[in-house]
Amino acid sequence: QKEVEQNSGPLSVPEGAIASLNCTYSDRVSQSFFWYRQYSGKSPELIMSIYSNGDKEDGRFTAQLNKASQYVSLLIRDSQPSDSATYLCAVNPIQGAQKLVFGQGTRLTINP
Amino acid sequence: DAGVTQSPTHLIKTRGQQVTLRCSPKSGHDTVSWYQQALGQGPQFIFQYYEEEERQRGNFPDRFSGHQFPNYSSELNVNALLLGDSALYLCASSPGRDRYQPQHFGDGTRLSIL
């Protein structure tokens, strides 16, 4: 079992709709969870961080964390073509440390 | 406020050679982590430097080594290059005292091995 799993996609969503990206992780003691966006040929860019159960909203983005189910998700409302990218879920699996374990990423395409 | 800077942007080497990649962290950050990202995969943790020492290491062979300087900048060295070392090498920085702060990435060095 991989430490962090994501559906590699591609995920196609019409412009203006909600895109839903999911991630599961295996280490129960994980403390910090991050979503990064990566455009083709570019480096990962931090979108959201979440540390406690529940929802965290930032503009059109909402991160959701359920530690009991070991599940993290990212919702993108009013999807725009500029949101087309690969979205990487990253987990800090060791308490007090900063090593990040990434999923393989989900490729998202927003269709105009 | 300069972000994380990496050099060079691209590099082409042949098998068996050695390479050094460089990274300057974001202002105010003292911890540097290195990741390897193969095509179509998520980044994989190589190691992390804090206070000029290797604090953590991922599952990479000893051919991969690093260094951190007093100004917090860092180098990644790879010896005896293999074709499989072709990848995007990412440097990320963060403030070491707050271990829950996210890491910010540089633009990466794309390494091609012929």
Side-chain angles (χ1 to χ4, degrees):
Chain A
Q1 181 189 9
K2 292 183 181 178
E3 290 185 76
V4 178
E5 295 205 51
Q6 295 181 253
N7 187 327
S8 61
L11 175 64
S12 292
V13 173
E15 184 175 356
I18 296 176
S20 177
L21 304 161
N22 304 315
C23 171
T24 58
Y25 60 94
S26 61
D27 193 332
R28 285 192 170 274
V29 300
S30 299
Q31 298 292 313
S32 314
F33 307 86
F34 307 94
W35 283 100
Y36 287 84
R37 177 177 64 198
Q38 187 173 29
Y39 292 113
S40 182
K42 302 294 185 182
S43 65
E45 173 193 9
L46 180 71
I47 296 177
M48 294 284 288
S49 58
I50 188 166
Y51 305 97
S52 53
N53 281 326
D55 294 1
K56 179 181 178 183
E57 186 174 318
D58 184 0
R60 296 187 296 110
F61 298 97
T62 299
Q64 299 174 317
L65 174 61
N66 184 325
K67 289 187 177 180
S69 300
Q70 296 175 237
Y71 178 89
V72 193
S73 66
L74 179 71
L75 301 178
I76 307 174
R77 290 182 300 281
D78 188 24
S79 297
Q80 303 297 311
S82 59
D83 295 327
S84 298
T86 295
Y87 288 80
L88 296 162
C89 172
V91 175
N92 181 339
I94 304 173
Q95 187 172 8
Q98 289 184 318
K99 166 186 172 180
L100 290 180
V101 179
F102 285 84
Q104 70 176 84
T106 298
R107 188 154 54 93
L108 173 66
T109 300
I110 307 300
N111 301 308
Chain B
D1 179 21
V4 180
T5 59
Q6 290 187 244
S7 64
T9 306
H10 295 87
L11 207 49
I12 300 175
K13 292 286 187 179
T14 58
R15 281 180 296 174
Q17 285 190 311
Q18 177 264 342
V19 68
T20 297
L21 310 181
R22 296 177 176 82
C23 171
S24 292
K26 185 177 178 178
S27 177
H29 289 182
D30 56 7
T31 300
V32 173
S33 303
W34 287 92
Y35 293 82
Q36 180 195 66
Q37 187 175 24
L39 203 59
Q41 301 297 316
Q44 292 219 325
F45 176 77
I46 302 175
F47 43 53
Q48 182 181 89
Y49 278 85
Y50 174 67
E51 292 187 341
E52 301 180 52
E53 291 193 357
E54 184 181 289
R55 180 157 72 174
Q56 290 186 82
R57 188 178 183 90
N59 189 24
F60 278 80
D62 292 344
R63 297 187 298 110
F64 290 77
S65 63
H67 188 78
Q68 186 178 35
F69 299 93
N71 67 352
Y72 309 124
S73 67
S74 176
E75 289 182 348
L76 164 65
N77 300 293
V78 187
N79 295 322
L81 287 166
L82 303 174
L83 292 177
D85 294 332
S86 294
L88 178 66
Y89 287 84
L90 296 162
C91 170
S93 73
S94 52
R97 294 188 188 279
D98 185 347
R99 296 181 178 223
Y100 298 99
Q101 284 295 312
Q103 297 180 19
H104 296 265
F105 286 85
D107 289 338
T109 294
R110 187 161 297 282
L111 176 63
S112 299
I113 311 302
L114 303 180

